[in-house]
Amino acid sequence: MKRWLLGGLMTVITGTGGAMEADIQQWTTDNGAKVLFVERNELPIVDLRIAFDAGSARDGHQPGLARMVSNVLLDGTAERNAGDIARRFERYGARVSAGSSRDMAEVSLRSLSDPDNLKPVINELAAVIAGANFPDDAVARVRQQMMLGLQQEQSSASSLAEKAFAAAIYGDHPYAKPPQGTLESVPEITREDLQAFHAKHYVAQNATVAIVGNLTRADAETMANQLTSGLPTGQAPEPLPVVQLPAAAEVVRVPFEAGQTHVLIGQPSVARGDEAYYPLYFGNHLLGGGGLTSLLAERMREERGLSYSSYSQLSTGAQRGRFEMGTQVRNEALEEALEVLRGTLVELIEQGPSAERLEDSRRNITGSFPLQLDSNRSLLGYVVSIGFHDLPHDYLTQFVEKIENLDADAVQGAMREHLHPQRMITVLVGPAEVIEAVAD
C-alpha cells in the first residue's frame, strides 16, 4: 500500500502553557500521490485537502486557464450534473470547495468522520475529481462570471495596482500573469483546453493529499487510496523557472480618477523553504506586518496622518514570492507618503531595529502564532504547505524556535542581503496629473 514513510512530531506551546502536538505521518499511495496525515480526535470531523501543482503558473499562453478548471471542476461528470453532485454531498452534511492560486489548485472537504458518512463522500469526491468532464453549459456560465469579475476589476484601483505590480516585479516569469486571466484570454479558453489541462495536471504524481481529523492511520490510508485510485499516475511538471530580481528601480503609473492614490512598492522575496524567510518575516513584522504596532503605522498614521492603513507583506512560493509595502494616500500627500515609506524601509535596513522594538515584535509573533493552529482546518493549511513545498515535518516548531533565536543583527543582515530599495518597483494608481508629477 505504501512505498515510503516519514514521521515527524511538531509541538507548539500555547500562551496558556498547554501544548498542541501534531504527529505528521507521511506516505505515498500506490500510484504516487503524496499523503500527510495528522490524527486529531477532539471532534468527530475530518478535514481533507488535495493540492495539485496546477496553479496559474501553469497557464502557459492562456491566462485564467487554471482558475477556470478549478471553477468548473465540481460541475459535472459523465454520470452526474452539478445539482446531482451537490445533493450527494449535502445528503451527508459534507462541505466541498475548489480553488486555485499561482502555485496550486486545491479541492477541500469537511465531513463527519463516521464511516457511514465519510465513505460515500470520499467516493463521490474521487469520482468528481477524476471524472470531471466540464459540461458546455457550466463552462459558459463560469466564463461569463470570470468576464464579469474582470470587467469589475477595471473600476477597482486596488485590482489595477495588484495586476501592474505582479507584472512589473516578475517580468516574463509565469508568476506575472493574473490568475483570474484577462479580458482577452478568458473568452478564448475552450472546453477542450480545460480537459487537456485537467488530464495533464490532475494526476497522482502531481498530487499532495493532507488529512487532519478523527481517523486512525489505517483509516487514513484507506481513504487516501479511495480518493486517488481513479487518478492516472501521470507525472509532475518541471520546476518553474527561477524568478529574477528587477535590474533597476522603476515607477509604473496607472491613471485612475480618484481622491486617493494607491501605492505598492516592492520586489520578489524568497522561495518557500529558504532559511532567510525567518529573519525576513521578523523584519517585515517590524516594518509593517505587525499592524498598528509596526513602524509604517507609526510613521504614516500616527506621526504624519498620511494614511489610515499602511502595511508591508512578505509571501513565499515554489519560487520567489514577494515583498511589498502598500498604502492609500490623499493625492496631495503622495510625495510625502512615498518619502516616508521608502525612508522607513531604508532606515530599518541601515540601522536595524531597537532592542525594545525587537522584543515587542518577537513576543507578538510567538504569542499569536499558536492561535493560527486552533482548529483542524487552520492546521490543515500548514500541513498542505509542508507537503507541497517539501518542508520539514517540524516546521511549525522550527518557526517558533527560529524566531526566538533571532537577534537584531540577523534580522538586519537578511534585510540588507535580500531587500534592495534601489531596485524596487513602485506602482501608482491615481489621477494622471498626480502620478505623472512623481519623479522616476
Side-chain angles (χ1 to χ4, degrees):
M1 179 179 294
K2 54 188 178 295
R3 295 179 182 170
W4 52 271
L5 168 66
L6 292 175
L9 186 67
M10 65 182 181
T11 304
V12 179
I13 305 301
T14 68
T16 59
M20 182 178 69
E21 296 184 350
D23 182 12
I24 300 181
Q25 303 177 60
Q26 181 172 329
W27 64 92
T28 58
T29 62
D30 289 337
N31 58 356
K34 183 191 297 183
V35 185
L36 290 86
F37 167 58
V38 177
E39 182 177 351
R40 296 185 76 176
N41 305 120
E42 293 88 351
L43 296 170
I45 290 173
V46 171
D47 284 284
L48 174 151
R49 188 169 300 163
I50 180 168
F52 298 91
D53 186 344
S56 64
R58 304 298 179 181
D59 278 346
H61 65 283
Q62 296 177 287
L65 177 57
R67 180 65 54 84
M68 191 179 291
V69 169
S70 67
N71 285 351
V72 189
L73 185 70
L74 305 178
D75 277 349
T77 66
E79 293 77 24
R80 290 187 283 279
N81 61 32
D84 294 332
I85 292 169
R87 283 188 289 273
R88 284 174 178 262
F89 286 123
E90 289 171 0
R91 181 184 307 167
Y92 297 100
R95 299 178 183 176
V96 64
S97 62
S100 66
S101 59
R102 281 185 165 85
D103 276 334
M104 67 178 78
E106 299 177 306
V107 182
S108 300
L109 172 75
R110 165 166 275 205
S111 171
L112 294 171
S113 57
D114 183 275
D116 290 340
N117 290 84
L118 185 59
K119 185 175 180 179
V121 164
I122 296 298
N123 280 333
E124 183 69 18
L125 185 60
V128 170
I129 294 175
N133 72 340
F134 306 97
D136 287 325
D137 59 341
V139 174
R141 172 177 50 79
V142 168
R143 182 187 293 114
Q144 183 178 12
Q145 291 171 345
M146 291 177 67
M147 289 295 292
L148 179 60
L150 289 167
Q151 291 163 3
Q152 292 173 339
E153 286 178 356
Q154 298 297 104
S155 59
S156 167
S158 59
S159 295
L160 294 173
E162 161 60 28
K163 286 185 178 182
F165 186 69
I169 67 169
Y170 287 125
D172 59 0
H173 192 274
Y175 281 173
K177 298 174 183 176
Q180 65 272 38
T182 68
L183 289 170
E184 296 72 32
S185 67
V186 169
E188 300 299 320
I189 298 173
T190 67
R191 177 178 184 242
E192 290 70 28
D193 294 328
L194 304 183
Q195 290 173 319
F197 186 93
H198 177 265
K200 180 178 180 180
H201 294 288
Y202 283 67
V203 296
Q205 292 278 353
N206 197 34
T208 299
V209 180
I211 305 168
V212 176
N214 184 36
L215 293 173
T216 66
R217 165 62 186 270
D219 291 336
E221 288 187 2
T222 299
M223 189 173 78
N225 280 327
Q226 185 182 351
L227 180 64
T228 60
S229 61
L231 296 175
T233 300
Q235 60 184 16
E238 291 294 318
L240 295 170
V242 174
V243 173
Q244 303 297 328
L245 292 174
E250 179 185 0
V251 178
V252 178
R253 299 172 178 85
V254 181
F256 186 88
E257 285 303 317
Q260 292 186 320
T261 296
H262 277 66
V263 180
L264 291 177
I265 302 174
Q267 62 163 84
S269 59
V270 294
R272 195 71 163 159
D274 192 313
E275 279 298 308
Y277 171 72
Y278 302 97
L280 288 175
Y281 181 97
F282 205 156
N284 174 72
H285 191 273
L286 289 158
L287 176 66
L292 296 178
T293 64
S294 63
L295 282 166
L296 289 182
E298 286 186 10
R299 305 284 172 82
M300 293 286 290
R301 177 176 174 169
E302 296 178 21
E303 296 178 5
R304 308 285 188 101
L306 293 171
S307 173
Y308 181 80
S309 175
S310 301
Y311 69 91
S312 68
Q313 179 175 293
L314 181 78
S315 65
T316 60
Q319 294 296 330
R320 290 179 187 264
R322 56 201 276 182
F323 165 77
E324 67 184 62
M325 298 183 292
T327 194
Q328 302 172 47
V329 63
R330 302 186 313 277
N331 293 328
E332 64 271 18
L334 177 58
E335 291 276 9
E336 182 182 2
L338 290 173
E339 181 181 345
V340 173
L341 287 170
R342 292 166 174 160
T344 303
L345 173 61
V346 170
E347 177 186 321
L348 185 58
I349 291 173
E350 292 183 351
Q351 299 180 16
S354 68
E356 180 181 4
R357 188 175 291 275
L358 186 80
E359 292 310 313
D360 286 346
S361 186
R362 190 195 314 277
R363 285 194 298 271
N364 184 271
I365 294 171
T366 58
S368 63
F369 187 69
L371 300 178
Q372 302 175 40
L373 307 168
D374 62 353
S375 70
N376 285 6
R377 193 175 300 177
S378 52
L379 176 59
L380 180 70
Y382 282 100
V383 176
V384 170
S385 183
I386 287 169
F388 188 87
H389 295 290
D390 292 319
L391 302 177
H393 285 186
D394 62 349
Y395 167 78
L396 299 179
T397 304
Q398 281 192 24
F399 179 86
V400 174
E401 291 176 350
K402 288 179 184 291
I403 295 296
E404 289 283 10
N405 292 327
L406 287 170
D407 59 18
D409 289 342
V411 173
Q412 184 182 10
M415 297 185 76
R416 280 180 172 173
E417 180 178 356
H418 294 279
L419 301 183
H420 310 284
Q422 73 279 10
R423 296 164 64 181
M424 286 189 178
I425 303 297
T426 299
V427 171
L428 305 175
V429 180
E433 66 275 13
V434 174
I435 60 179
E436 290 297 337
V438 174
D440 287 332

